[in-house]
Amino acid sequence: MIYVKTPPTRLDPSAVSPAARGRHRRALAAAVALVVSAAGLLAGASEAQAQTEAQHLPAITLQAGMHLIRAELARTPAERQTGLMFRRDLGPNDGMLFVFEEPAVQCFWMRNTPTPLDIAFVEDDGRIVNLDQMAPLSDDSHCSKKPVRFVLEMNRGWFAKRGIQGGFKLGGAPFSGAR
């Protein structure tokens, strides 16, 4: 077979019927809408992916008697809202310390959090007000018994294995400069 390449020709716009121009405009508009829709789906997929990925935040070291805790710090509203969601596992001495601007009764739940956790509500000086156990993927609310600025989440059983109860005092930078 022999192919002959011919130069493209330009149509005289007046030679194209109004109906053909209308079909062309509708096809072009549909193509643009398809591209915009695809871009929106991709952006939505990226957002959904980000909402299902565990966050990993900078960490500090806390002391619970002779035990050291590697606690990621959740300081902003967005970091606190996500917390340990989607986290499948924590290291044996890893947790997350939620830091609030002002003392208040703090309440937490376990939506989108598949790891069973213990929660400690902590006063400014590091003293644990109360502890609770939280079931994975539950919307049950777990609240502090009085206003606190700090909340520490650890693997389920971490506090009990170390004999830590309400009234126990944690150490570390956040608690040394009590307000």
Side-chain angles (χ1 to χ4, degrees), residues 102-123:
E102 296 295 325
V105 172
Q106 308 296 344
C107 293
F108 282 63
W109 61 3
M110 294 284 284
R111 181 174 291 172
N112 299 319
T113 308
T115 304
L117 299 172
D118 281 350
I119 188 166
F121 299 97
V122 185
E123 293 183 282

Side-chain angles (χ1 to χ4, degrees), residues 1-8:
M1 250 187 190
I2 299 175
Y3 292 98
V4 178
K5 188 172 181 181
T6 59

Side-chain angles (χ1 to χ4, degrees), residues 8-179:
T9 58
R10 291 204 121 177
L11 289 177
D12 177 9
S14 64
V16 178
S17 72
R21 279 195 301 268
R23 283 191 303 272
H24 181 277
R25 284 188 188 120
R26 284 191 297 278
L28 181 59
V32 168
L34 182 62
V35 168
V36 168
S37 177
L41 286 174
L42 288 174
S46 297
E47 184 177 315
Q49 181 181 0
Q51 291 177 353
T52 60
E53 291 179 3
Q55 72 177 340
H56 294 273
L57 302 171
I60 62 168
T61 301
L62 303 176
Q63 299 87 34
M66 62 185 248
H67 306 284
L68 297 179
I69 299 169
R70 182 187 164 278
E72 294 181 37
L73 290 176
R75 294 177 284 212
T76 69
E79 290 169 348
R80 291 189 301 255
Q81 182 177 349
T82 301
L84 291 171
M85 283 184 177
F86 313 109
R87 191 75 68 94
R88 296 249 171 240
D89 56 11
L90 287 171
N93 294 307
D94 291 353
M96 184 169 283
L97 182 66
F98 297 81
V99 181
F100 294 87
E101 291 79 19
E102 296 295 325
V105 172
Q106 308 296 344
C107 293
F108 282 63
W109 61 3
M110 294 284 284
R111 181 174 291 172
N112 299 319
T113 308
T115 304
L117 299 172
D118 281 350
I119 188 166
F121 299 97
V122 185
E123 293 183 282
D124 281 0
D125 67 355
R127 193 162 315 279
I128 296 175
V129 171
N130 61 295
L131 295 162
D132 207 349
Q133 291 187 334
M134 301 190 298
L137 307 172
S138 170
D139 284 352
D140 292 345
S141 197
H142 303 269
C143 300
S144 61
K145 291 185 177 176
K146 63 188 236 183
V148 297
R149 283 193 328 118
F150 301 103
V151 178
L152 177 62
E153 290 181 341
M154 299 292 290
N155 280 312
R156 166 81 58 82
W158 193 91
F159 295 104
K161 286 177 189 170
R162 289 154 183 85
I164 296 172
Q165 301 175 354
F168 187 92
K169 193 168 181 179
L170 300 173
F175 314 122
S176 59
R179 291 175 137 189

